[in-house]
Amino acid sequence: MSNILNVIVIAAHPDEPEIYAGAISALYAEMGHRVKFVTLTDGCCGHHEMCGEELIARRKQEADEAAKHLGVLEYVVLPIPDGELMPTPEVRKEVIRQIRGWEADIVITFHPDGPGHVDNRNAGKIVRDAADFVAKVPNAVPEVPSLKKSPIFLLMPDYAARAAYSPDIVIDAGSVIEKKLRACDAHASQFYEFAPWQGDFLHEVPDNWEEKRTFILKYWDRFLRVSDEVLPTLSKLYGQDYAASVRYAEPFEIANYGRRPNEDEMKTLFPMLTTSARM
């Protein structure tokens, strides 16, 4: 592993890498590391008025804009219809290509089991199934060189699993919360149109940024702020005094597949933990 880390976030729909892993991605980018986002579907179900190629193109444009706010270098949206993601060999091979092509040190994705969106679960299953092939299996997907070492796999809590979540790592998101909020703002079709329509609060969508910022913090609170299930890990990693001051956070679990980093490697892989602990 070089001094520059290669991080890839693999989710199901455009806007999920931002809301679940936007802060850790922005922190890596600020430190000079390379971050890539991949969504395994095109998000074509994500609207109440728009549809088809028009919506797909809009969501890709929003994704590219969000990437700029976070410092993400690439944002790939695969042409698989929203709601139809399945853990097939073909999709698994594409995930292997994406991970190898990025020479990933860290892969962030969804849990393969549990409640929540079926595409999210299947994204987690696909990455889990791909994990055994990305390193030291050169005859699998031979057109992309096999990695010499398995990445570390981190699991994001799907929105429906958060309350029962017990993270191994919690990232203090405070220093980059504005970048994360701006990335969410870029996905206007989701944060100001489709989700408010689904939740019957479309009439509350504001016009200016300061009010939009408050709007996102209100309705996506559980994705942004520190909650009870992350407090023990926060205190363990940062100390109780520092943890008590943290307002915004992102939790992750180290997957039970791939490999588990030792204590020294944790400091290399997650330098933002060491930096925050010294503050």
Side-chain angles (χ1 to χ4, degrees):
M1 184 171 60
S2 69
N3 292 329
I4 301 299
L5 296 169
N6 296 320
V7 181
I8 187 168
V9 182
I10 303 175
H13 312 94
D15 82 331
E16 287 169 347
E18 292 85 342
I19 196 66
Y20 287 103
I24 194 172
S25 298
L27 287 167
Y28 276 125
E30 284 184 353
M31 294 176 180
H33 304 297
R34 301 173 68 247
V35 184
K36 178 176 182 174
F37 286 174
V38 178
T39 68
L40 302 185
T41 79
D42 58 15
C44 66
C45 290
H47 212 270
H48 55 296
E49 294 176 338
M50 298 180 69
C51 62
E53 292 302 320
E54 181 185 14
L55 177 58
I56 293 169
R58 181 184 178 190
R59 296 202 67 181
K60 181 59 170 71
Q61 184 178 27
E62 291 175 340
D64 290 340
E65 180 63 25
K68 295 176 185 177
H69 290 291
L70 298 173
V72 170
L73 299 177
E74 291 186 28
Y75 203 132
V76 173
V77 177
L78 295 186
I80 298 172
D82 188 352
E84 299 181 22
L85 182 63
M86 296 295 292
T88 64
E90 291 74 20
V91 181
R92 181 172 69 240
K93 288 178 181 179
E94 180 57 30
V95 167
I96 294 169
R97 292 186 192 99
Q98 293 290 338
I99 295 172
R100 286 181 177 177
W102 199 243
E103 298 183 353
D105 299 298
I106 300 169
V107 179
I108 303 175
T109 191
F110 281 121
H111 279 268
D113 301 302
H117 198 296
V118 63
D119 283 346
N120 294 0
R121 291 198 305 273
N122 281 338
K125 291 176 182 176
I126 291 162
V127 175
R128 180 191 63 190
D129 293 346
D132 287 338
F133 297 93
V134 296
K136 297 185 177 181
V137 188
N139 288 338
V141 195
E143 65 270 21
V144 185
S146 181
L147 300 182
K148 296 178 181 179
K149 189 176 185 180
S150 174
I152 300 299
F153 291 84
L154 297 184
L155 304 181
M156 307 180 291
D158 182 279
Y159 62 92
R162 180 71 183 261
Y165 197 63
S166 180
D168 296 301
I169 297 168
V170 179
I171 301 300
D172 175 10
S175 68
V176 291
I177 190 62
E178 297 304 320
K179 291 184 177 184
K180 180 169 179 172
L181 291 172
R182 285 290 189 179
C184 294
D185 175 69
H187 289 277
S189 67
Q190 305 306 297
F191 288 87
Y192 306 134
E193 297 171 22
F194 187 45
W197 176 80
Q198 286 183 310
D200 295 325
F201 54 94
L202 189 59
H203 61 285
E204 296 183 34
V205 176
D207 295 323
N208 63 70
W209 166 241
E210 285 304 317
E211 291 179 351
K212 286 180 176 178
R213 182 184 185 279
T214 300
F215 178 83
I216 295 171
L217 287 171
K218 175 182 177 181
Y219 283 105
W220 282 268
D221 179 81
R222 68 187 186 276
F223 296 97
L224 299 166
R225 297 187 189 273
V226 170
S227 50
D228 289 345
E229 74 278 357
V230 309
L231 284 173
T233 304
L234 260 179
S235 296
K236 178 181 177 181
L237 292 173
Y238 297 97
Q240 287 190 348
D241 290 343
Y242 184 91
S245 70
V246 177
R247 297 176 62 195
Y248 306 105
E250 286 178 350
F252 303 94
E253 181 181 321
I254 300 174
N256 62 358
Y257 56 84
R259 61 188 181 84
R260 198 168 188 93
N262 60 38
E263 187 173 343
D264 288 338
E265 194 175 17
M266 284 285 289
K267 296 175 183 177
T268 301
L269 291 169
F270 307 106
M272 65 286 295
L273 296 177
T274 305
T275 302
S276 296
R278 291 199 301 262
M279 293 177 63

